[in-house]
């Protein structure tokens, strides 16, 4: 972490009260960490939008009885082997599987992987969560 720098921020009172309630509910004990996290969130979103390198996870739930899922999911993951770090498979219940795929690479390819996986018949829900691929700030 670099040297801390103090700066003043002026906000309308109502907005500040809402912000304090928001960060309190989110578990922050002070404004500085909350503001830093919000700034980093915007930076990561900007990196993703501009096609930079990101790291993250594709999380999905699917019915393993569906034939297309069983054949397509491994094919898609092999096609994107260059950005997949690891995959974890959990048998949720008799029908459903949870798969968490850790990824690192160009935003466009990460998005393409997530989009390909979620479009397979039998995949019930998919999320893509990304963060910085390296230096957080
Ligand atoms: Ni399973």
């Amino acid at each position: 972490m670099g040297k801390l720098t103090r700066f003043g921020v002026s906000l309308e009172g109502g907005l500040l009260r809402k912000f304090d309630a928001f960060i309190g509910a989110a578990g922050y004990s002070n404004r500085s960490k909350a503001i830093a996290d919000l700034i980093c969130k915007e930076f990561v979103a900007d990196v993703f939008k501009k096609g930079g390198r990101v790291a993250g996870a594709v999380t999905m739930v699917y019915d393993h009885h569906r034939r297309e899922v069983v054949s397509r999911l491994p094919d898609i993951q092999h096609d994107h082997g260059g950005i997949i770090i690891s995959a974890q498979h959990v048998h949720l219940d008799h029908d459903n599987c949870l798969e968490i795929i850790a990824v690192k690479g160009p935003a466009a390819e990460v998005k393409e992987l997530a989009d390909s996986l979620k479009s397979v018949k039998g995949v019930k829900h998919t999320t893509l969560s990304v963060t910085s691929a390296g230096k957080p700030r």
Side-chain angles (χ1 to χ4, degrees):
M1 185 190 290
K3 182 174 171 272
L4 293 178
T5 303
R6 287 184 156 273
F7 68 101
V9 177
S10 300
L11 288 178
E12 186 270 320
L15 182 60
L16 183 58
R17 279 190 296 280
K18 281 185 183 176
F19 182 68
D20 284 343
F22 175 79
I23 67 175
Y28 288 102
S29 59
N30 67 70
R31 293 174 182 152
S32 295
K33 174 65 173 146
I35 290 169
D37 283 359
L38 289 172
I39 291 170
C40 286
K41 181 180 171 185
E42 289 302 313
F43 284 172
V44 169
D46 189 54
V47 167
F48 189 79
K49 191 172 76 179
K50 291 177 177 170
R53 289 181 64 79
V54 295
V58 180
T59 303
M60 59 185 169
V61 173
Y62 60 87
D63 181 346
H64 73 98
H65 296 301
R66 297 290 294 267
R67 186 180 304 249
E68 190 174 347
V69 165
V70 176
S71 66
R72 288 288 299 139
L73 294 187
D75 283 347
I76 292 168
Q77 291 187 52
H78 279 270
D79 288 345
H80 293 83
I83 61 166
I84 294 177
I85 300 166
S86 71
Q88 183 175 27
H89 184 104
V90 177
H91 310 300
L92 284 180
D93 54 39
H94 180 72
D95 301 316
N96 295 297
C97 301
L98 167 70
E99 200 150 320
I100 304 161
I101 304 167
V103 295
K104 181 179 176 184
E109 191 175 348
V110 168
K111 185 177 184 316
E112 186 184 309
L113 170 63
D115 288 346
S116 297
L117 293 169
K118 77 179 174 192
S119 68
V120 174
K121 278 185 186 167
V123 174
K124 297 178 175 180
H125 185 239
T126 304
T127 62
L128 169 60
S129 172
V130 294
T131 186
S132 164
K135 295 175 184 173
R137 296 184 178 140

